[in-house]
Amino acid sequence: MLIVKRAYDEMRLRMEGKPGINYEYITLPECVCYQREYKGTTVDEKYNSMYNLFHEAVEKGYKPLATEPLIVIDKRKDYLEGECRNEAADYLCCIPLAPDSAPKEAVFYPSCRAFSCLFHGDYSQSPLERLSEFGKIIRRLGVKPAGYPRVLGIVAPYVGREIAPNNYISRYVVPVEEEDGQDLEDNRPASGESRPADINIGE
């Protein structure tokens, strides 16, 4: 249901045809990721890192999950000050895998409560500016982060590789302390899967 809701939210914003921001509490499903840490700041650097890592995973016989987005975890906290410094920072490219194909070095991310912000607009605002705006919203609402911010790739099936520059969507999420957002509907999926043995735990 969470996948359907994500697609619906993205489609609705596109159909409205105007810039907007939607934020809410959600529950992220657990996942096992093939990941690698990089350092950089530009969109091109992150895109190339993810593109190369994805193809490496496929060539090694791992099975990326078509139902889950690719994830970039920005290992920075300056966004909480309302302004990201324009300097190279560490980030993780994470590719969710089918558990039965995951290698021993894969990292397990437990299901967690998260604060989500869906941006719809154009390329006039840089990713650092969007992340800074996310930090301002977090501070204003008193959200309590429990991890680094993540950028989720677009998963709606109608989206092709070429996206109109005035119709772009970005989803930022940050894990939060469990008591956050308890008055909102919990979208936790019924996983039924236990934590894989001998798997590293992600931040």
Side-chain angles (χ1 to χ4, degrees), residues 33 62 70-71 79-80 102 106 111 114 132-133 137 141 148 164 174 176:
C33 291
Y62 310 147
L70 303 179
I71 305 166
Y79 77 103
L80 292 173
S111 174
S132 296
E133 185 65 27
I137 293 171
L141 297 180
Y148 291 116
V174 64
V176 297

Side-chain angles (χ1 to χ4, degrees), residues 5 22 26 43 45 53 56 77 95-96 98 105 122 125 130-131 145 152 160 166 179 183-184 186 192 197:
K5 184 180 185 306
N22 280 9
I26 64 174
V43 174
E45 287 173 322
L53 188 64
E56 178 183 312
K77 296 182 179 180
I95 301 170
E105 66 268 24
D122 55 37
Q125 191 179 40
R130 290 195 190 99
L131 189 55
L152 304 187
N166 62 343
E179 65 267 21
D183 57 326
L184 301 179
D186 192 337

Side-chain angles (χ1 to χ4, degrees), residues 66-77:
T67 56
E68 288 302 319
L70 303 179
I71 305 166
V72 174
I73 301 177
D74 280 305
K75 300 183 72 173
R76 59 193 307 159
K77 296 182 179 180

Side-chain angles (χ1 to χ4, degrees), residues 98-116:
D100 62 355
S101 75
K104 290 183 178 180
E105 66 268 24
V107 178
F108 176 72
Y109 287 89
S111 174
C112 68
R113 196 75 170 157
F115 181 68
S116 166

Side-chain angles (χ1 to χ4, degrees), residues 23-41:
Y23 48 90
E24 62 182 334
Y25 285 97
I26 64 174
T27 298
L28 296 176
E30 64 183 38
C31 61
V32 179
C33 291
Y34 182 60
Q35 70 177 38
R36 185 168 298 152
E37 184 168 322
Y38 300 89
K39 195 177 189 70
T41 184

Side-chain angles (χ1 to χ4, degrees), residues 4-202:
V4 174
K5 184 180 185 306
R6 279 200 304 242
Y8 170 78
D9 288 342
E10 293 166 8
M11 291 178 68
R12 180 172 54 80
L13 281 177
R14 286 179 183 277
M15 291 175 66
E16 289 175 355
K18 57 184 180 181
I21 299 176
N22 280 9
Y23 48 90
E24 62 182 334
Y25 285 97
I26 64 174
T27 298
L28 296 176
E30 64 183 38
C31 61
V32 179
C33 291
Y34 182 60
Q35 70 177 38
R36 185 168 298 152
E37 184 168 322
Y38 300 89
K39 195 177 189 70
T41 184
T42 69
V43 174
D44 285 345
E45 287 173 322
K46 292 181 178 179
Y47 177 87
N48 290 333
S49 298
M50 183 66 80
Y51 183 87
N52 292 333
L53 188 64
F54 184 89
H55 280 272
E56 178 183 312
V58 172
E59 289 172 357
K60 288 186 174 182
Y62 310 147
K63 301 174 184 176
L65 286 178
T67 56
E68 288 302 319
L70 303 179
I71 305 166
V72 174
I73 301 177
D74 280 305
K75 300 183 72 173
R76 59 193 307 159
K77 296 182 179 180
D78 55 352
Y79 77 103
L80 292 173
E81 302 166 6
E83 184 174 357
C84 290
R85 292 180 289 275
N86 188 18
E87 57 188 36
D90 296 327
Y91 62 92
L92 292 165
C93 287
C94 308
I95 301 170
L97 301 175
D100 62 355
S101 75
K104 290 183 178 180
E105 66 268 24
V107 178
F108 176 72
Y109 287 89
S111 174
C112 68
R113 196 75 170 157
F115 181 68
S116 166
C117 191
L118 193 64
F119 291 88
H120 176 230
D122 55 37
Y123 290 112
S124 62
Q125 191 179 40
S126 73
L128 287 182
E129 289 174 323
R130 290 195 190 99
L131 189 55
S132 296
E133 185 65 27
F134 188 38
K136 292 176 183 177
I137 293 171
I138 287 173
R139 291 180 63 185
R140 186 167 74 243
L141 297 180
V143 175
K144 300 174 183 177
Y148 291 116
R150 309 176 187 180
V151 182
L152 304 187
I154 297 172
V155 295
Y158 61 88
V159 177
R161 182 174 178 181
E162 297 299 324
I163 302 172
N166 62 343
N167 199 22
Y168 191 78
I169 287 179
S170 300
R171 185 185 290 274
Y172 291 74
V173 300
V174 64
V176 297
E177 296 181 9
E178 278 297 318
E179 65 267 21
D180 262 0
Q182 291 302 311
D183 57 326
L184 301 179
E185 181 180 358
D186 192 337
N187 297 309
R188 184 182 301 274
S191 169
E193 293 183 358
S194 60
R195 169 186 163 190
D198 301 323
I199 291 291
N200 305 309
I201 302 296

